[in-house]
């Protein structure tokens, strides 16, 4: 079996606990077959960079490179976070375009490409992750790498018209065509990418599903990412989970718990979610004192203005709903801006009668899958899921909502709270089957076997 080389902006640094599904999935793949995990060390150095630092953990060789302060600003904060992230999440209005930032992004991709090349042996399989490294394949090819390169995009690929709003879209598209296999979360993303390549660059679709563009033959395919459902189910029954859920359970007494867990990000639809919960209480007096919303959302990327605005908006909305509806013994929204261990989250998911996962756009959304996997099969809760989360493409047994429709979401919460155990069980059984069918092992195995089954077929 050929050696696997994974490149991602952040790695699970050696010695650190791997938080989140992705780090665990990639770590497992590398541990299984041996290989290299290449990426940013997380360190920012004032000027000169030190090249690559190597560390070994079991079967995995970590190869880590620092960023200079200027690179961190231009590549990571300005271009990846302020241009690519909003545009890929359909928010051209929030994007900031800056040529200098793009130049730094391209330069970091080139520099990282050269560093990575030093580590490669001819039979290696290279798997690049996410929007930070759209030009990394191109950088490897420019330096003479002829082996296979796969790429997986964790966030959505927007419709052609939106992607084309990026002033550097042509350069990015050319870069993406340097990968042999491009993996996306959903069929919708594959369709968006293919249509963009056809309309903007005259790509030709071949009978075998490949695309001919910029003189390359590439394949674009959906590989929905998943979780390890058994691990989440056992975490939900762990001591830590039980302690958290018992303590919270005592506080909320017999009230129903509605839960949201997200990174604080404008793509997650948090204001609309709080408004929907407020609307529910405004309209239905009977529910006052009988239901609690727990929203856990630790801040991310706070240095970017849009995130500061979001934080203020959430504080204001929580204050409004709590001010209008609280009484001496009950506060409707508990909003917590910090993160918790995966065990505690699993315990809270299991306690919650309703899981609210309502992003405006999301590549997949693993919280939706974790919520399902954490449920008690005898008495499961109800998942309310945005139709614009990648997860919705296959999790059709959830209550699907339009996250912009505040009234519709308020109705969905009411319906979920009133749903019979029979209907809850029926929906959960179907959703759990889907979570099992597309778990994280299937994701990486399907991707890697598709990549390894491809020849290097440049025309
Ligand atoms: P994210 O946008 O980070 O991931 P998501 O898929 O929900 O979104 O994954 C977040 C992970 O972090 C989950 O495992 C979750 O449990 C955990 N998490 C979230 N909030 C937390 C909190 N408050 N405390 C502790 N842990 C928390 C990107 C894309 C997604 C895609 C994933 C994987 O944006 O669409 O599903 O990558 O490809």
């Amino acid at each position: 079996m050929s050696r696997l080389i994974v490149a991602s902006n952040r790695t699970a640094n050696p010695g650190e606990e791997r938080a989140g599904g992705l780090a665990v999935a990639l770590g497992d793949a590398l541990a299984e077959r041996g290989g290299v995990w290449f990426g940013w060390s997380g360190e920012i150095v004032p000027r000169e960079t030190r090249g690559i630092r190597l560390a070994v953990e079991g079967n995995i060789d970590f190869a880590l490179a620092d960023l200079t302060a200027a690179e961190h600003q231009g590549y990571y904060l300005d271009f990846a976070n302020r241009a690519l992230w909003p545009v890929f999440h359909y928010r051209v209005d929030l994007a900031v375009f800056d040529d200098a930032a793009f130049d730094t992004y391209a330069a970091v991709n080139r520099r990282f490409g050269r560093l990575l090349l030093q580590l490669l042996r001819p039979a290696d399989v290279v798997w690049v992750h996410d929007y930070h490294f759209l030009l990394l394949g191109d950088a490897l090819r420019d330096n003479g790498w002829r082996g296979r390169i796969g790429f997986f995009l964790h966030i959505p690929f927007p419709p052609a018209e939106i992607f084309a709003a990026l002033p550097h879209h042509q350069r990015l598209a050319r870069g993406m065509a340097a990968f042999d296999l491009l993996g996306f979360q959903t069929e919708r993303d594959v369709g968006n990418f293919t249509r963009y390549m056809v309309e903007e660059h005259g790509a030709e679709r071949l009978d075998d599903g490949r695309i001919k563009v910029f003189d390359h033959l590439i394949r674009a395919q959906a590989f929905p990412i998943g979780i390890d459902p058994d691990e989440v189910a056992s975490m939900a029954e762990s001591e830590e989970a039980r302690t958290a859920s018992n303590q919270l359970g005592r506080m909320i007494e017999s009230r129903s718990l509605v839960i949201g867990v997200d990174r604080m990000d404008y793509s997650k639809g948090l204001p609309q979610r709080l408004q929907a919960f407020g609307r529910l209480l405004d309209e239905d007096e009977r529910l006052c004192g009988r239901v609690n919303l727990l929203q856990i959302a630790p801040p991310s990327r706070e240095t970017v203005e849009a995130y500061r605005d979001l934080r203020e908006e959430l504080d204001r909305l929580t204050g409004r709903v709590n001010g209008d509806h609280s009484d001496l013994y009950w506060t409707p929204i508990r909003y917590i801006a910090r993160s918790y261990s995966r065990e505690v989250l699993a315990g809270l998911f299991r306690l919650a009668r309703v899981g609210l996962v309502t992003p405006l756009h999301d590549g997949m959304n693993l919280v939706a899958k974790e919520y399902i996997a954490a449920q008690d099969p005898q008495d499961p809760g109800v998942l309310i899921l945005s139709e614009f989360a990648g997860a919705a493409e296959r999790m059709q047994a959830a209550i699907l909502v339009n996250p912009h429709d505040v009234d519709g979401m308020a109705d969905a919460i009411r319906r979920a709270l009133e749903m019979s155990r029979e209907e809850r069980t029926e929906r959960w059984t179907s959703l759990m089957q889907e979570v099992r069918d597309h778990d994280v092992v299937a994701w990486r195995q399907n991707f890697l076997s598709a990549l390894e089954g491809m020849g290097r077929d440049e025309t």
Side-chain angles (χ1 to χ4, degrees):
M1 198 191 285
S2 40
R3 197 172 63 137
L4 176 63
I5 315 292
V6 168
S8 57
N9 176 62
R10 288 306 301 270
T11 67
N13 287 345
E16 266 176 27
E17 198 197 339
R18 292 197 185 113
L22 180 67
V24 172
L26 295 175
D28 285 355
L30 285 161
E32 211 169 83
R33 53 196 284 174
V36 177
W37 198 342
F38 169 78
W40 175 34
S41 61
E43 301 280 323
I44 302 167
V45 293
R47 232 168 285 116
E48 277 305 295
T49 51
R50 285 175 276 172
I52 282 187
R53 217 160 339 123
L54 295 172
V56 180
E57 193 187 276
N59 239 352
I60 309 179
D61 293 324
F62 285 88
L64 305 171
D66 302 333
L67 291 175
T68 67
E71 286 176 336
H72 179 252
Q73 184 68 44
Y75 149 78
Y76 182 72
L77 295 176
D78 290 344
F79 198 71
N81 285 351
R82 297 177 79 184
L84 294 178
W85 178 270
V87 170
F88 279 61
H89 286 88
Y90 298 58
R91 294 299 302 269
V92 180
D93 59 316
L94 292 179
V96 179
F97 303 123
D98 172 355
D99 281 351
F102 175 75
D103 291 345
T104 309
Y105 176 88
V108 169
N109 273 254
R110 276 197 302 277
R111 184 166 80 78
F112 274 46
R114 284 194 301 275
L115 292 172
L116 177 55
L117 195 71
Q118 295 169 13
L119 304 165
L120 295 181
R121 302 178 198 146
D124 288 346
V125 169
V126 181
W127 190 5
V128 177
H129 289 264
D130 233 4
Y131 59 101
H132 310 91
F133 285 156
L134 294 173
L135 300 177
L136 195 67
D138 209 24
L140 288 174
R141 297 271 180 248
D142 276 352
N143 285 291
W145 174 249
R146 307 282 303 157
R148 277 161 299 195
I149 319 178
F151 173 79
F152 186 79
L153 185 67
H154 290 264
I155 62 177
F157 192 89
E161 298 75 7
I162 292 183
F163 188 66
L166 268 166
H168 305 95
H169 70 96
Q170 279 154 334
R171 176 71 191 87
L172 293 170
R174 209 172 260 282
M176 290 180 83
F179 298 112
D180 299 297
L181 175 65
L182 290 115
F184 297 90
Q185 300 275 24
T186 65
E187 297 298 342
R188 186 193 315 231
D189 300 316
V190 173
N192 286 344
F193 174 77
T194 308
R195 183 165 75 82
Y196 166 80
M197 284 299 199
V198 169
E199 289 178 3
E200 292 281 334
H201 304 290
E204 199 186 320
R205 292 178 225 238
L206 306 185
D207 290 343
D208 65 1
R210 286 183 300 173
I211 302 168
K212 189 172 173 194
V213 65
F214 299 124
D215 288 334
H216 294 290
L217 279 177
I218 61 175
R219 186 182 291 280
Q221 200 175 321
F223 298 93
I225 198 168
I227 59 166
D228 177 344
D230 292 326
E231 187 194 22
V232 174
S234 73
M235 284 192 303
E237 296 193 64
S238 67
E239 196 54 40
E240 208 182 331
R242 281 178 201 276
T243 307
S245 114
N246 287 342
Q247 278 176 355
L248 183 65
R250 273 199 296 278
M251 286 170 66
I252 60 172
E253 297 169 336
S254 60
R255 298 180 195 108
S256 302
L257 180 67
V258 177
I259 195 168
V261 173
D262 308 76
R263 279 185 308 101
M264 193 198 288
D265 189 280
Y266 48 78
S267 64
K268 301 292 183 185
L270 294 166
Q272 292 83 347
R273 192 182 305 173
L274 296 183
Q275 280 165 2
F277 192 72
R279 186 72 51 92
L280 179 72
L281 299 179
D282 292 342
E283 284 174 357
D284 204 334
E285 275 284 305
R286 288 175 315 138
L287 287 174
C288 289
R290 296 174 58 186
V291 59
N292 278 91
L293 170 63
L294 172 63
Q295 176 63 56
I296 300 179
S300 59
R301 306 187 184 94
E302 307 92 302
T303 47
V304 184
E305 245 161 70
Y307 294 92
R308 276 201 299 269
D309 295 348
L310 175 63
R311 176 70 201 258
E312 280 170 21
E313 191 177 3
L314 297 181
D315 289 346
R316 189 175 52 73
L317 282 167
T318 307
R320 200 287 282 167
V321 177
N322 283 346
D324 282 356
H325 294 288
S326 296
D327 63 26
L328 285 176
Y329 312 105
W330 171 69
T331 308
I333 300 180
R334 185 178 294 257
Y335 159 53
I336 304 176
R338 56 160 284 192
S339 58
Y340 285 91
S341 72
R342 302 181 69 212
E343 284 76 10
V344 167
L345 289 182
L348 300 179
F349 286 149
R350 195 177 177 96
L351 180 68
R353 172 46 49 96
V354 181
L356 260 185
V357 180
T358 57
L360 304 181
H361 280 287
D362 214 332
M364 177 56 61
N365 195 297
L366 295 178
V367 172
K369 299 192 173 189
E370 291 164 355
Y371 176 78
I372 290 300
Q375 295 307 300
D376 174 359
Q378 306 308 316
D379 189 15
V382 181
L383 176 65
I384 297 180
L385 180 60
S386 160
E387 60 184 290
F388 304 125
E393 200 163 277
R394 291 169 183 274
M395 297 180 81
Q396 294 278 317
I399 299 187
L400 295 180
V401 291
N402 173 349
H404 300 279
D405 176 5
V406 168
D407 286 315
M409 282 195 289
D411 286 345
I413 301 171
R414 188 182 303 106
R415 213 176 128 202
L417 290 169
E418 289 168 357
M419 193 178 282
S420 68
R421 185 194 285 219
E422 192 187 358
E423 184 176 351
R424 283 188 276 122
T425 308
E426 201 175 301
R427 286 175 181 266
W428 176 82
T429 305
S430 152
L431 290 167
M432 189 61 181
Q433 190 58 50
E434 166 52 32
V435 171
R436 285 195 182 289
D437 288 347
H438 291 96
D439 69 358
V440 69
V441 176
W443 171 71
R444 71 167 196 253
Q445 284 179 349
N446 290 341
F447 186 94
L448 289 173
S449 64
L451 180 60
E452 287 170 304
M454 289 179 90
R456 275 288 297 130
D457 251 331
E458 264 177 69
T459 52

